[in-house]
Amino acid sequence: MSKVMIHATVSVDGFMADPVGGMDWMDGFPVAPEDEQIVEAICSDIGSIVGGANKTQTIEDGEIPYGGFLKVPVYLMTHSEQAAVEQDGTTFIFVVDDIEEAVRRARHDAGEKWVSLLGGRVARQCLTLGLVDELRLHVVPVVLGEGIPLFAGLEHQLRLERMETSAFASEVHLRYRVLRDVPASGD
């Protein structure tokens, strides 16, 4: 059965995009072959994606997660019914207001591979519902000061177990298992 992960590049202060959604700040840092190998290995294990639909609730030209090279089913959360869209070898399936259904369907499509969650709101909802197995984060050496946060607004404490940490050129790669049923402190 597939597992669910949050796979994201973040700034040191935990933002995944600048205030207007830009990600140009991720570019321009030295990258070692080992950095690229880590990202490629993670991406090769992704069997489906769950993310939030854009503001227009449609698919715009050039809008494909992971640069379009994964060619896996993408489930997008939306507030209104819409037929699936096929674009450049990627199928976008819209799910109306039911993140658990989107993850269930994505897990089915992923088979033995991973479901990758994209977007802060989707990630926080899935964490709150206990649907996330791992976090795979790439921390870029920049402090944005403001932007779109990955975890801000999470309604409860989250305990993690560090599985891997590596750094080669500029980025730090972190892998954590999400611990479930952890007793509250003092228990």
Side-chain angles (χ1 to χ4, degrees):
M1 182 95 163
S2 68
K3 291 187 177 183
V4 178
M5 72 171 151
I6 296 169
H7 179 220
T9 299
V10 296
S11 62
V12 171
D13 52 347
F15 294 107
M16 49 186 227
D18 68 24
V20 295
M23 297 183 192
D24 293 348
W25 55 271
M26 293 180 190
D27 299 330
F29 296 101
V31 177
E34 294 89 349
D35 293 313
E36 293 172 344
Q37 290 168 358
I38 287 172
V39 174
E40 287 170 8
I42 293 169
C43 288
S44 71
D45 285 338
I46 294 173
S48 63
I49 297 168
V50 176
N54 65 21
K55 291 177 184 171
T56 63
Q57 304 279 299
T58 60
I59 302 299
E60 297 174 358
D61 286 339
E63 181 184 5
I64 302 178
Y66 291 96
F69 68 89
L70 292 184
K71 308 288 189 229
V72 299
V74 178
Y75 289 86
L76 295 174
M77 300 308 303
T78 185
H79 298 298
S80 58
E81 275 303 317
Q82 186 174 163
V85 173
E86 176 83 26
Q87 182 174 310
D88 298 325
T90 299
T91 302
F92 296 90
I93 303 109
F94 295 88
V95 179
V96 179
D97 297 327
D98 189 345
I99 192 78
E100 290 177 287
E101 174 68 9
V103 170
R104 185 192 66 73
R105 291 172 64 187
R107 288 183 74 171
H108 177 267
D109 284 351
E112 296 296 316
K113 291 189 168 200
W114 287 84
V115 173
S116 180
L117 303 175
L118 296 180
R121 182 173 295 142
V122 166
R124 289 186 299 274
Q125 287 175 348
C126 290
L127 284 167
T128 298
L129 292 169
L131 301 174
V132 179
D133 298 295
E134 288 188 15
L135 307 179
R136 304 272 187 98
L137 304 176
H138 312 287
V139 182
V140 177
V142 64
V143 174
L144 293 178
E146 62 179 346
I148 299 172
L150 180 56
F151 297 114
L154 189 61
E155 298 175 359
H156 66 281
Q157 187 179 71
L158 188 65
R159 296 285 179 152
L160 307 171
E161 175 187 358
R162 184 180 60 81
M163 297 175 66
E164 292 177 36
T165 304
S166 58
F168 302 99
S170 298
E171 299 174 66
V172 176
H173 308 280
L174 305 170
R175 181 178 181 191
Y176 292 102
R177 177 179 296 123
V178 176
L179 300 178
R180 294 182 174 82
D181 302 321
V182 177
S185 50
D187 288 351

